[in-house]
Amino acid sequence: MDKILRVNMSDLSTRTEGVPKEWAGLGGRALTSTIVAKEVIPTCHPLGDNNRLVFAPGMLSGTAAANTGRFSAGAKSPLTGTIKESNAGGLAAQQFARLGIKALIIEGLPKEEKWYSLHVNQDGASIAEETELIGKGNFAVVDTLEARLGKKTGVITIGPAGEMRMLSANISVKDSDSKLRSHGRGGLGAVMGSKRIKFISIDDSKAPAVPLFDAEKFKTAARAFAKAVIEHPATGEGLPTYGTAEMVNIVNAAGGLPTRNFTFGQFEKHEEISGETLRETIIARGGKPKHGCQPGCIIQCSQVYHDKDGNYVTSGFEYETIEILGANACIGNLDDIAAADYIMDDIGVDSIETSVAFGVAMEGGVLPFGDGKGVLRILKEDVGAGTPLGRIIGNGAGHVGRTFGVTRVPVVKNQAIPAYDPRSIKGIGITYATSTMGADHTSGYAVGTNLMGVGGGVVDPLKKDGQVELSRHLQIITVMLDTLGLCLFVGFPAADMPTCVPALMDMLNARFGTELTPEWIGGLGVNTLKTERAFNIAAGFTNKDDRLPEFFREPVAPHNAVWDFTDEEIDAFWDF
């Protein structure tokens, strides 16, 4: 029986509730956004008593279907002030689903200056005071809890950045190899820190299998779905071979690779940080060129990166981090970038926000462009320790720009713009501008269509034609992926393989005994986006916040492309 777990940190109480009828057909992002919109005062302080932190597995999480282990976390973002859903891999989604937990809602603030942990099992949630792990990094938390509670224990944790309530703080989730996957973007780690919860441990050892209404139908549909994923060139070949860093050379060729704090669109050392070089380096050093971020992943676009002596450095070494530090901060050295990625994972800061913050800091003269060792030093000695400089960096790119008087600050709604220049890849620029959660490439990944022809043909990345409609369609579809608990990259076969979406619908109907149609998915996406936007409007946001920074009106080489959308054209996004 599905249930809601509610934890009140004000009186240190927990209770189990039934699932309201209006939440029964929701999961993942649709559910977290619905709960936040209903229970959080839009104008509240994100780190105050009235915010909620909500965790929810996807609707297909916990089943044997491939790539269905994504986990949603939601709250009002302390970084942007908007509604926020953040999506992560790891073990927690499947564990919550097997325990029958539809959502975990954490509310209130403790009255005492103590730290706590939550433990979740088949009996519900319990609160305990925590002293041993306060101030420790995320990897130490995982190691200690595995020793304390067992190797199979699930872990959701914050690092020192979350404890210090830095606005770039993320929430980390343990994966099946005791590595970390992140609820990045938006500063949800600071929300967890404000509620003084260091970690959540999960024991699903006595949980039954997730019930299926029609097991045979589900099995048949799951096979068809997996076949579509494997047979798509992106999810069956490109991503498993080179990981997300396969995009480095592709985006560089398109002139959309942000370089030197978004001054240029190409990086002279792009080959040194490319997916091809990454793969060769990993294999030569005995790492893993293929790795899954969640159980049941058949794409395997993650990897395990070793240093030159064959020692573990980091995993989940993504294009975004590699590009933003490698090209945007001009650090053309994979080893320095990997070392930075490990530190950011350990102290618990979003690697996109923090990497963009370093680019802005370099523009402001804090350290030279290309100074990889300087980045490592500041991460260790300042951000991790919470010095004044560390707190400036740890509060994100917008904070850095305001502190050091920089005008070239690539943010929307105060959230850093990821690793695609919107002048040369215009579809993703519409997503950055209109996303309900600040600049976020995952909200509507137009790059796939703009550069790779995903979805039936290329929408010219240098022209405005069709970009608003493309971003709108993709943002609606992305809500579906986030709600079902699916990996973002399932969007590629969903767009191109005619068997993929029907198989998804068959799995949903076999799971719940429903008769849902693809139109239901579209309606779910539209309703969720409108719910999120209504929250933002009530919080004080207007269409004037759906704008890119003015410096994007400057041309960027090699195409001399500019951001040339009018306000009216951007506002038309919401005409649905």
Side-chain angles (χ1 to χ4, degrees), residues 5-15 105-107 118 125-127:
L5 299 186
R6 192 177 291 271
V7 173
N8 189 324
M9 295 306 295
S10 297
D11 59 12
L12 303 182
S13 66
T14 68
R15 66 180 187 270
I105 304 172
I106 305 171
E107 58 191 42
L118 300 182
S126 57
I127 304 172

Side-chain angles (χ1 to χ4, degrees), residues 305 325 331 333-341 370-373 375-376:
Y305 187 90
L325 281 179
I331 303 170
N333 182 303
L334 281 173
D335 284 336
D336 283 348
I337 302 168
D341 191 50
D371 187 359
K373 297 299 187 290
V375 167
L376 296 177

Side-chain angles (χ1 to χ4, degrees), residues 234-499:
T235 49
E237 298 175 18
L239 286 165
T241 302
Y242 299 112
T244 58
E246 72 167 332
M247 296 304 298
V248 170
N249 283 340
I250 294 171
V251 179
N252 189 77
L257 199 73
T259 301
R260 200 178 178 88
N261 193 30
F262 285 80
T263 301
F264 307 107
Q266 292 181 319
F267 183 48
E268 63 181 3
K269 295 182 179 180
H270 65 94
E271 287 287 359
E272 296 176 33
I273 61 169
S274 68
E276 292 81 353
T277 299
L278 177 65
R279 177 179 172 82
E280 292 171 3
T281 303
I282 289 172
I283 292 173
R285 294 176 175 181
K288 294 181 180 179
K290 295 172 64 174
H291 184 253
C293 77
Q294 54 181 290
C297 173
I298 58 174
I299 299 175
Q300 299 276 301
C301 71
S302 179
Q303 65 295 107
V304 177
Y305 187 90
H306 289 176
D307 65 17
K308 57 183 174 55
D309 297 319
N311 299 311
Y312 172 82
V313 179
T314 194
S315 60
F317 198 19
E318 305 291 351
Y319 164 78
E320 293 293 331
T321 310
I322 292 170
E323 195 289 325
I324 291 291
L325 281 179
N328 197 53
C330 301
I331 303 170
N333 182 303
L334 281 173
D335 284 336
D336 283 348
I337 302 168
D341 191 50
Y342 174 87
I343 298 169
M344 289 187 284
D345 281 348
D346 196 38
I347 63 180
V349 290
D350 177 47
S351 62
I352 297 177
E353 188 69 43
T354 307
S355 298
V356 174
F358 273 111
V360 177
M362 290 171 175
E363 178 110 347
V366 176
L367 69 170
F369 279 99
D371 187 359
K373 297 299 187 290
V375 167
L376 296 177
R377 183 187 70 253
I378 290 174
L379 283 171
K380 289 178 183 177
E381 299 177 6
D382 293 294
V383 181
T387 68
L389 175 60
R391 288 178 181 271
I392 291 168
I393 299 287
N395 279 322
H399 204 77
V400 173
R402 287 187 291 274
T403 301
F404 293 102
V406 178
T407 58
R408 183 179 293 274
V409 183
V411 299
V412 178
K413 301 181 182 74
N414 201 47
Q415 183 161 278
I417 291 177
Y420 304 94
D421 195 302
R423 292 167 288 191
S424 299
I425 311 172
K426 294 185 187 294
I428 201 67
I430 293 294
T431 295
Y432 293 159
T434 59
S435 167
T436 55
M437 303 179 194
D440 183 355
H441 65 296
T442 67
S443 290
Y445 189 65
V447 176
T449 303
N450 279 172
L451 299 186
M452 297 181 288
V454 172
V458 173
V459 176
D460 190 330
L462 296 171
K463 295 181 179 179
K464 296 194 290 183
D465 300 345
Q467 306 292 3
V468 171
E469 294 79 9
L470 172 65
S471 178
R472 181 192 299 131
H473 170 71
L474 291 173
Q475 290 195 49
I476 291 169
I477 294 300
T478 300
V479 173
M480 176 270 289
L481 298 173
D482 293 342
T483 297
L484 300 189
L486 290 165
C487 165
L488 176 69
F489 296 131
V490 169
F492 292 158
D496 290 336
M497 308 294 284
T499 58

